[in-house]
Amino acid sequence: MNYAGMRMMTRSQSRGPGSGPLGSGEAAAPIQRGEASAGTKWHYLAEGRKSYHPVKRQRKAQSLNVAYEASDGEKAEGTKPLKVPSWEPQDWQQQLANIRTMRSGKDAPVDQLGVEHCYDPRVPPKVQRYQVLLSLMLSSQTKDQVTAGAMKRLQARGLTVDSILQTDDITLGRLIYPVGFWRNKVKYIKQTSAILQQHYGGDIPASVAELVALPGVGPKMAHLAMAVAWGTVSGIAVDTHVHRIANRLGWTKKATKSPEETRAALEEWLPRDLWREINGLLVGFGQQICLPVRPRCQGCLNQALCPAARGL
């Protein structure tokens, strides 16, 4: 071995494991993990020089929850839909607070004679629910005082599904008169009672869809029956009072022509925790102040906030 070779060997060995012979023209073998000092990466150049570059630590990728509005038919997993602010009427919260103040006495007919007060609390729950439904059927186009009187006469004879089915039509008509459309209601009450006996064991259905399928039962009655008889808030019960007042206050995005249209409009923006309260609140307000004809706007706390009052 000559001295030149020894020098080459010595210099090569001094460079450590994994390095190629200086000046060989071949790329050096990569350094395996743990062979270099922490934070440094060594590179061997063809000329035999070594250089290093600081290692850039890769940051851990962070997952972002992106909210976006998907196109029609597009549903992306792991994303949250963009919540678009819904319309709500101007000043509705102050209007509602004023109505609560005006109704704080709880002295309207609905407060004493409404559906919550028309059933007999001493009878079994199933019979109570039937009486709730029957009082609602009688209340259509009828004042609370008249409905309450008819219910008392029926209860005096024992108001159950069986007792109604055993009562002839003439007698039933006399008992419920003078409720509005009493002849039609005799027919509906008999038909509905027969269905309840045959299909529900004398109880009433526990869903809006089944309730409105009964003869003489509309959406307002169904939602009130769900709330009072079953303790479930299924929707806003809208009668003529709620329909009228909601339009006068501007609580619908556009004018509505029917109670059902008003219900859909209210449910689009009114917080759900107010759905049960709003019926009794507005019905009593309509019975005392916001009357169908000649509303008492001068004594209403919402006079300055009510579009209808400003238009008078």
Side-chain angles (χ1 to χ4, degrees), residues 170-208:
I170 295 176
T171 302
L172 183 57
R174 289 173 179 167
L175 290 170
I176 68 172
Y177 181 85
V179 300
F181 305 101
W182 64 270
R183 289 185 178 88
N184 287 335
K185 289 178 181 178
V186 167
K187 178 177 64 177
Y188 294 148
I189 288 171
K190 281 295 193 70
Q191 291 174 346
T192 290
S193 298
I195 292 171
L196 298 181
Q197 185 186 62
Q198 294 169 11
H199 299 285
Y200 297 95
D203 208 338
I204 71 172
S207 73
V208 171

Short mmCIF file of all heavy atoms in Angstrom, two decimals, residues 170-208:
data_model
loop_
_atom_site.label_atom_id
_atom_site.label_comp_id
_atom_site.label_asym_id
_atom_site.label_seq_id
_atom_site.Cartn_x
_atom_site.Cartn_y
_atom_site.Cartn_z
N ILE A 170 -130.64 13.82 18.45
CA ILE A 170 -131.49 14.93 18.88
C ILE A 170 -131.10 15.40 20.28
O ILE A 170 -130.97 16.60 20.54
CB ILE A 170 -132.98 14.51 18.84
CG1 ILE A 170 -133.41 14.23 17.40
CG2 ILE A 170 -133.86 15.60 19.46
CD1 ILE A 170 -134.84 13.72 17.27
N THR A 171 -130.89 14.44 21.16
CA THR A 171 -130.50 14.80 22.54
C THR A 171 -129.13 15.47 22.55
O THR A 171 -128.92 16.46 23.26
CB THR A 171 -130.48 13.54 23.43
OG1 THR A 171 -131.77 12.94 23.42
CG2 THR A 171 -130.09 13.89 24.85
N LEU A 172 -128.20 14.92 21.78
CA LEU A 172 -126.86 15.51 21.72
C LEU A 172 -126.92 16.94 21.19
O LEU A 172 -126.23 17.83 21.70
CB LEU A 172 -125.95 14.65 20.85
CG LEU A 172 -124.50 15.10 20.73
CD1 LEU A 172 -123.84 15.19 22.12
CD2 LEU A 172 -123.71 14.14 19.84
N GLY A 173 -127.77 17.15 20.18
CA GLY A 173 -127.93 18.50 19.64
C GLY A 173 -128.45 19.48 20.68
O GLY A 173 -127.98 20.62 20.78
N ARG A 174 -129.40 19.04 21.47
CA ARG A 174 -129.94 19.91 22.53
C ARG A 174 -128.89 20.23 23.59
O ARG A 174 -128.88 21.33 24.15
CB ARG A 174 -131.14 19.23 23.18
CG ARG A 174 -132.38 19.17 22.28
CD ARG A 174 -133.46 18.34 22.93
NE ARG A 174 -134.68 18.29 22.10
CZ ARG A 174 -135.68 17.45 22.30
NH1 ARG A 174 -135.63 16.60 23.35
NH2 ARG A 174 -136.75 17.46 21.51
N LEU A 175 -128.03 19.27 23.86
CA LEU A 175 -127.01 19.48 24.91
C LEU A 175 -125.93 20.46 24.48
O LEU A 175 -125.42 21.23 25.30
CB LEU A 175 -126.37 18.14 25.28
CG LEU A 175 -127.27 17.16 26.05
CD1 LEU A 175 -126.59 15.79 26.15
CD2 LEU A 175 -127.58 17.71 27.44
N ILE A 176 -125.58 20.45 23.21
CA ILE A 176 -124.48 21.32 22.78
C ILE A 176 -124.96 22.66 22.23
O ILE A 176 -124.17 23.60 22.11
CB ILE A 176 -123.59 20.62 21.73
CG1 ILE A 176 -124.33 20.43 20.41
CG2 ILE A 176 -123.04 19.32 22.27
CD1 ILE A 176 -123.44 19.92 19.28
N TYR A 177 -126.22 22.78 21.88
CA TYR A 177 -126.76 24.04 21.39
C TYR A 177 -126.58 25.12 22.45
O TYR A 177 -126.74 24.83 23.64
CB TYR A 177 -128.24 23.87 21.05
CG TYR A 177 -128.91 25.11 20.51
CD1 TYR A 177 -128.85 25.42 19.16
CD2 TYR A 177 -129.60 25.96 21.37
CE1 TYR A 177 -129.46 26.57 18.67
CE2 TYR A 177 -130.21 27.12 20.89
CZ TYR A 177 -130.13 27.42 19.54
OH TYR A 177 -130.74 28.56 19.05
N PRO A 178 -126.17 26.36 22.12
CA PRO A 178 -126.10 26.98 20.81
C PRO A 178 -124.69 27.14 20.24
O PRO A 178 -124.36 28.22 19.71
CB PRO A 178 -126.72 28.34 21.08
CG PRO A 178 -126.20 28.68 22.46
CD PRO A 178 -126.09 27.38 23.20
N VAL A 179 -123.83 26.15 20.33
CA VAL A 179 -122.51 26.29 19.71
C VAL A 179 -122.67 26.47 18.21
O VAL A 179 -123.66 26.03 17.61
CB VAL A 179 -121.62 25.05 20.00
CG1 VAL A 179 -121.41 24.86 21.49
CG2 VAL A 179 -122.21 23.80 19.37
N GLY A 180 -121.69 27.13 17.59
CA GLY A 180 -121.76 27.36 16.16
C GLY A 180 -121.79 26.07 15.36
O GLY A 180 -121.07 25.13 15.69
N PHE A 181 -122.63 26.04 14.32
CA PHE A 181 -122.73 24.87 13.44
C PHE A 181 -123.00 23.58 14.23
O PHE A 181 -122.41 22.54 13.99
CB PHE A 181 -121.46 24.72 12.59
CG PHE A 181 -121.11 25.94 11.80
CD1 PHE A 181 -120.12 26.81 12.24
CD2 PHE A 181 -121.77 26.23 10.62
CE1 PHE A 181 -119.80 27.95 11.51
CE2 PHE A 181 -121.46 27.36 9.88
CZ PHE A 181 -120.47 28.24 10.33
N TRP A 182 -123.93 23.68 15.17
CA TRP A 182 -124.14 22.57 16.10
C TRP A 182 -124.63 21.31 15.40
O TRP A 182 -124.31 20.20 15.83
CB TRP A 182 -125.11 23.00 17.21
CG TRP A 182 -126.50 23.33 16.74
CD1 TRP A 182 -126.94 24.56 16.35
CD2 TRP A 182 -127.61 22.45 16.63
NE1 TRP A 182 -128.27 24.51 16.00
CE2 TRP A 182 -128.71 23.21 16.16
CE3 TRP A 182 -127.81 21.09 16.89
CZ2 TRP A 182 -129.97 22.66 15.95
CZ3 TRP A 182 -129.06 20.54 16.67
CH2 TRP A 182 -130.12 21.32 16.20
N ARG A 183 -125.38 21.44 14.31
CA ARG A 183 -125.85 20.25 13.61
C ARG A 183 -124.68 19.45 13.01
O ARG A 183 -124.63 18.22 13.11
CB ARG A 183 -126.84 20.64 12.51
CG ARG A 183 -128.18 21.13 13.02
CD ARG A 183 -129.15 21.39 11.89
NE ARG A 183 -130.46 21.82 12.37
CZ ARG A 183 -130.78 23.09 12.61
NH1 ARG A 183 -129.87 24.05 12.45
NH2 ARG A 183 -132.00 23.40 13.05
N ASN A 184 -123.77 20.18 12.38
CA ASN A 184 -122.59 19.50 11.83
C ASN A 184 -121.75 18.88 12.94
O ASN A 184 -121.19 17.78 12.78
CB ASN A 184 -121.73 20.48 11.03
CG ASN A 184 -122.36 20.86 9.70
OD1 ASN A 184 -123.17 20.10 9.15
ND2 ASN A 184 -122.01 22.02 9.19
N LYS A 185 -121.68 19.57 14.07
CA LYS A 185 -120.85 19.08 15.16
C LYS A 185 -121.43 17.81 15.80
O LYS A 185 -120.68 16.96 16.27
CB LYS A 185 -120.65 20.18 16.20
CG LYS A 185 -119.75 21.30 15.69
CD LYS A 185 -119.56 22.43 16.67
CE LYS A 185 -118.68 23.51 16.08
NZ LYS A 185 -118.51 24.68 16.99
N VAL A 186 -122.75 17.68 15.80
CA VAL A 186 -123.36 16.44 16.28
C VAL A 186 -122.86 15.28 15.43
O VAL A 186 -122.46 14.22 15.95
CB VAL A 186 -124.90 16.53 16.23
CG1 VAL A 186 -125.53 15.14 16.41
CG2 VAL A 186 -125.43 17.48 17.30
N LYS A 187 -122.85 15.47 14.13
CA LYS A 187 -122.41 14.41 13.21
C LYS A 187 -120.93 14.11 13.40
O LYS A 187 -120.53 12.94 13.50
CB LYS A 187 -122.68 14.86 11.77
CG LYS A 187 -122.22 13.89 10.71
CD LYS A 187 -122.59 14.39 9.31
CE LYS A 187 -121.85 15.68 9.00
NZ LYS A 187 -122.14 16.15 7.62
N TYR A 188 -120.12 15.15 13.50
CA TYR A 188 -118.67 14.94 13.64
C TYR A 188 -118.33 14.27 14.97
O TYR A 188 -117.46 13.40 15.04
CB TYR A 188 -117.93 16.28 13.54
CG TYR A 188 -118.02 16.94 12.19
CD1 TYR A 188 -118.03 18.33 12.07
CD2 TYR A 188 -118.08 16.18 11.02
CE1 TYR A 188 -118.10 18.94 10.83
CE2 TYR A 188 -118.16 16.78 9.77
CZ TYR A 188 -118.17 18.17 9.68
OH TYR A 188 -118.25 18.77 8.45
N ILE A 189 -119.00 14.69 16.03
CA ILE A 189 -118.72 14.12 17.35
C ILE A 189 -119.06 12.63 17.37
O ILE A 189 -118.30 11.82 17.91
CB ILE A 189 -119.51 14.88 18.44
CG1 ILE A 189 -118.91 16.27 18.65
CG2 ILE A 189 -119.51 14.10 19.75
CD1 ILE A 189 -119.74 17.17 19.55
N LYS A 190 -120.17 12.28 16.77
CA LYS A 190 -120.55 10.86 16.72
C LYS A 190 -119.55 10.06 15.88
O LYS A 190 -119.11 8.97 16.29
CB LYS A 190 -121.95 10.73 16.12
CG LYS A 190 -123.09 11.03 17.08
CD LYS A 190 -123.10 9.99 18.21
CE LYS A 190 -124.37 10.02 19.02
NZ LYS A 190 -125.56 9.54 18.31
N GLN A 191 -119.17 10.56 14.73
CA GLN A 191 -118.24 9.85 13.85
C GLN A 191 -116.87 9.70 14.51
O GLN A 191 -116.27 8.61 14.50
CB GLN A 191 -118.11 10.59 12.52
CG GLN A 191 -119.36 10.55 11.66
CD GLN A 191 -119.23 11.42 10.43
OE1 GLN A 191 -118.34 12.26 10.32
NE2 GLN A 191 -120.14 11.22 9.46
N THR A 192 -116.38 10.78 15.10
CA THR A 192 -115.07 10.73 15.75
C THR A 192 -115.08 9.79 16.94
O THR A 192 -114.14 9.02 17.16
CB THR A 192 -114.65 12.15 16.17
OG1 THR A 192 -114.36 12.93 15.01
CG2 THR A 192 -113.41 12.11 17.06
N SER A 193 -116.14 9.83 17.73
CA SER A 193 -116.22 8.96 18.91
C SER A 193 -116.22 7.49 18.50
O SER A 193 -115.59 6.65 19.16
CB SER A 193 -117.49 9.28 19.72
OG SER A 193 -117.45 10.62 20.20
N ALA A 194 -116.88 7.17 17.41
CA ALA A 194 -116.90 5.78 16.93
C ALA A 194 -115.49 5.35 16.49
O ALA A 194 -115.06 4.22 16.78
CB ALA A 194 -117.88 5.64 15.77
N ILE A 195 -114.78 6.24 15.82
CA ILE A 195 -113.41 5.92 15.39
C ILE A 195 -112.50 5.71 16.60
O ILE A 195 -111.68 4.78 16.63
CB ILE A 195 -112.87 7.04 14.49
CG1 ILE A 195 -113.63 7.07 13.16
CG2 ILE A 195 -111.37 6.85 14.23
CD1 ILE A 195 -113.31 8.27 12.29
N LEU A 196 -112.65 6.56 17.59
CA LEU A 196 -111.81 6.44 18.80
C LEU A 196 -112.09 5.12 19.51
O LEU A 196 -111.16 4.48 20.03
CB LEU A 196 -112.06 7.61 19.74
CG LEU A 196 -111.72 9.01 19.20
CD1 LEU A 196 -111.99 10.07 20.25
CD2 LEU A 196 -110.27 9.07 18.74
N GLN A 197 -113.33 4.72 19.56
CA GLN A 197 -113.67 3.46 20.22
C GLN A 197 -113.12 2.26 19.45
O GLN A 197 -112.58 1.31 20.03
CB GLN A 197 -115.18 3.33 20.37
CG GLN A 197 -115.62 2.10 21.16
CD GLN A 197 -117.13 1.94 21.15
OE1 GLN A 197 -117.73 1.76 20.10
NE2 GLN A 197 -117.74 2.02 22.34
N GLN A 198 -113.23 2.30 18.13
CA GLN A 198 -112.84 1.16 17.31
C GLN A 198 -111.33 1.04 17.12
O GLN A 198 -110.78 -0.07 17.09
CB GLN A 198 -113.51 1.27 15.94
CG GLN A 198 -115.02 1.15 15.98
CD GLN A 198 -115.66 1.52 14.65
OE1 GLN A 198 -114.97 1.69 13.64
NE2 GLN A 198 -116.99 1.65 14.63
N HIS A 199 -110.64 2.17 17.02
CA HIS A 199 -109.22 2.13 16.65
C HIS A 199 -108.26 2.58 17.75
O HIS A 199 -107.05 2.33 17.64
CB HIS A 199 -109.00 3.00 15.41
CG HIS A 199 -109.77 2.54 14.21
ND1 HIS A 199 -109.41 1.44 13.47
CD2 HIS A 199 -110.91 3.03 13.64
CE1 HIS A 199 -110.28 1.27 12.48
NE2 HIS A 199 -111.19 2.22 12.56
N TYR A 200 -108.75 3.27 18.78
CA TYR A 200 -107.85 3.81 19.79
C TYR A 200 -108.25 3.40 21.21
O TYR A 200 -107.74 3.97 22.18
CB TYR A 200 -107.78 5.34 19.69
CG TYR A 200 -107.20 5.81 18.36
CD1 TYR A 200 -108.04 6.15 17.30
CD2 TYR A 200 -105.83 5.89 18.17
CE1 TYR A 200 -107.53 6.57 16.09
CE2 TYR A 200 -105.30 6.32 16.97
CZ TYR A 200 -106.15 6.65 15.93
OH TYR A 200 -105.63 7.06 14.72
N GLY A 201 -109.14 2.45 21.33
CA GLY A 201 -109.54 2.00 22.66
C GLY A 201 -110.18 3.07 23.50
O GLY A 201 -110.08 3.05 24.74
N GLY A 202 -110.84 4.03 22.85
CA GLY A 202 -111.50 5.10 23.59
C GLY A 202 -110.61 6.28 23.90
O GLY A 202 -111.06 7.29 24.45
N ASP A 203 -109.33 6.18 23.56
CA ASP A 203 -108.39 7.28 23.77
C ASP A 203 -108.34 8.13 22.50
O ASP A 203 -108.99 7.82 21.50
CB ASP A 203 -107.01 6.74 24.11
CG ASP A 203 -106.20 7.71 24.97
OD1 ASP A 203 -106.52 8.92 24.97
OD2 ASP A 203 -105.25 7.25 25.65
N ILE A 204 -107.53 9.20 22.51
CA ILE A 204 -107.38 10.02 21.33
C ILE A 204 -105.98 9.79 20.73
O ILE A 204 -105.06 9.37 21.45
CB ILE A 204 -107.58 11.52 21.64
CG1 ILE A 204 -106.41 12.08 22.46
CG2 ILE A 204 -108.90 11.74 22.36
CD1 ILE A 204 -106.46 13.60 22.62
N PRO A 205 -105.80 10.03 19.44
CA PRO A 205 -104.48 9.83 18.83
C PRO A 205 -103.43 10.75 19.46
O PRO A 205 -103.75 11.82 19.99
CB PRO A 205 -104.71 10.18 17.36
CG PRO A 205 -106.18 10.06 17.16
CD PRO A 205 -106.82 10.42 18.45
N ALA A 206 -102.17 10.33 19.34
CA ALA A 206 -101.07 11.10 19.93
C ALA A 206 -100.20 11.74 18.86
O ALA A 206 -99.01 11.96 19.06
CB ALA A 206 -100.22 10.21 20.83
N SER A 207 -100.78 12.04 17.70
CA SER A 207 -100.03 12.73 16.65
C SER A 207 -100.96 13.68 15.91
O SER A 207 -102.18 13.45 15.84
CB SER A 207 -99.41 11.74 15.66
OG SER A 207 -100.41 11.16 14.83
N VAL A 208 -100.39 14.74 15.38
CA VAL A 208 -101.18 15.73 14.65
C VAL A 208 -101.81 15.10 13.41
O VAL A 208 -102.98 15.34 13.10
CB VAL A 208 -100.30 16.94 14.25
CG1 VAL A 208 -101.05 17.87 13.31
CG2 VAL A 208 -99.87 17.70 15.50
#
